[in-house]
Amino acid sequence: MSVLEVKNLKKSFDKLEVLKDIDFSLNKGETIAIIGSSGSGKTTLLRCLNFLEKPDGGKILINGDVIFDADDPNTQKEREIREKRLHFGLVFQSFNLFPQYTVLKNVTLASELIAKRKKGYRSNKKQILKQIDSQARESLGQMGLSDKLNYYPHQLSGGQQQRVAIARALAMSPDVLCFDEPTSALDPELTGEVLRVIRALAEKRTTMVIVTHEMAFARDVADRVIFMDCGVIVEQGSPREVLENPREERTKQFLARFSEE
């Protein structure tokens, strides 16, 4: 069974159709890289998966359960949106860290807020907070940041800040870890630092969707590549099929333009 199924997903802003019948699935332990020109709908797709944008049509399923159906109001209750977001860990282009909090607090904050809304929190507060702290420390350890727990974001490099953002997403134990151009805000020398972390996650079979312009990285790390253009999935397949032997003319044109830049 697929971890994630996206069926005929649609999204428009006014009269502009940004996503047109997007349809794909993601298996446990699989990494999908999504490529395409700016404005092709890649970021909007991730935002719809994370319910930062509400799709206009289609369905989203996690482990076979429908968590969103545009035709079923019962799947669109605002009070349930935060819970549904827990299925997806989203790492943004910018780091989105809270400057007033330490590295450790940046990672634990969301889990603490969610825990406070659950029954039994007061009676088990100490144990719950201890577990959250432990998970955060483990995630930061995976990112090689165990020595930075009490630092503040301004004391870190851009690469370190992005690794904190990844640790924050991992600490929530999401079904799918999503990246939206995770290196676009980094200097070239720091890009490799973050890509090495994501590569290690892929080797551990973390389930991921990565929007990227790093073609060599997509070729080496992804199990499958999706090429989007003008709000549709034009082509998808193995990195070799899509990046080296594309079938569709639009894919060929995009790759040709990209290689010239």
Side-chain angles (χ1 to χ4, degrees), residues 6-256:
V6 177
K7 298 185 177 182
N8 306 118
L9 205 67
K10 302 176 183 178
K11 178 62 183 177
S12 296
F13 295 102
D14 296 324
K15 295 182 179 180
L16 177 63
E17 288 185 283
V18 180
L19 299 178
K20 309 170 188 177
D21 292 316
I22 298 297
D23 200 339
F24 72 96
S25 62
L26 176 68
N27 295 323
K28 185 174 179 61
E30 186 180 23
T31 294
I32 287 180
I34 302 179
I35 63 173
S37 302
S38 298
S40 60
K42 307 182 302 298
T43 293
T44 299
L45 173 57
L46 292 191
R47 290 179 64 83
C48 284
L49 291 179
N50 203 53
F51 298 100
L52 295 174
E53 302 287 353
K54 181 181 176 182
D56 301 319
K59 297 180 181 180
I60 301 172
L61 293 83
I62 289 289
N63 297 316
D65 296 327
V66 177
I67 65 169
F68 176 85
D69 183 345
D71 295 325
D72 183 0
N74 290 322
T75 67
Q76 303 173 40
K77 296 175 182 177
E78 190 63 33
R79 66 177 182 272
E80 297 176 359
I81 292 299
R82 287 190 179 185
E83 293 296 323
K84 292 179 179 181
R85 282 180 182 152
L86 296 180
H87 293 294
F88 301 92
L90 179 56
V91 179
F92 298 87
Q93 295 180 18
S94 55
F95 318 127
N96 282 7
L97 301 180
F98 293 102
Q100 71 272 33
Y101 294 137
T102 64
V103 164
L104 182 60
K105 187 66 175 180
N106 263 281
V107 176
T108 62
L109 183 61
S111 297
E112 291 170 355
L113 293 174
I114 291 167
K116 288 178 181 178
R117 296 199 301 270
K118 292 185 176 180
K119 292 181 180 180
Y121 173 75
R122 290 187 178 181
S123 58
N124 295 287
K125 179 179 178 180
K126 187 175 181 179
Q127 182 179 350
I128 291 171
L129 292 180
K130 184 177 179 180
Q131 183 178 5
I132 290 173
D133 182 84
S134 177
Q135 289 174 333
R137 289 172 184 269
E138 181 180 350
S139 295
L140 286 164
Q142 285 183 261
M143 298 298 107
L145 294 169
S146 294
D147 60 337
K148 306 293 184 183
L149 302 183
N150 296 316
Y151 281 53
Y152 288 85
H154 75 272
Q155 296 174 302
L156 304 177
S157 69
Q160 289 171 329
Q161 290 186 59
Q162 191 63 298
R163 282 189 279 151
V164 173
I166 297 171
R168 178 176 58 189
L170 281 173
M172 304 299 291
S173 300
D175 292 288
V176 181
L177 187 58
C178 301
F179 293 88
D180 184 15
E181 295 284 4
T183 61
S184 65
L186 299 176
D187 294 332
E189 62 268 24
L190 297 177
T191 294
E193 175 185 325
V194 172
L195 293 182
R196 282 192 296 273
V197 167
I198 302 174
R199 186 187 299 271
L201 292 172
E203 290 173 353
K204 293 178 180 178
R205 306 311 295 172
T206 305
T207 309
M208 297 188 288
V209 176
I210 307 171
V211 169
T212 184
H213 278 114
E214 302 286 345
M215 295 299 158
F217 175 76
R219 184 188 63 239
D220 295 342
V221 173
D223 299 294
R224 191 149 38 102
V225 174
I226 290 175
F227 169 60
M228 290 183 64
D229 186 42
C230 298
V232 301
I233 293 179
V234 176
E235 186 169 355
Q236 61 178 304
S238 70
R240 184 168 187 173
E241 289 170 334
V242 176
L243 299 178
E244 298 179 19
N245 300 289
R247 302 183 307 274
E248 302 295 330
E249 186 59 34
R250 275 193 282 178
T251 313
K252 295 176 183 178
Q253 291 176 356
F254 167 76
L255 293 172

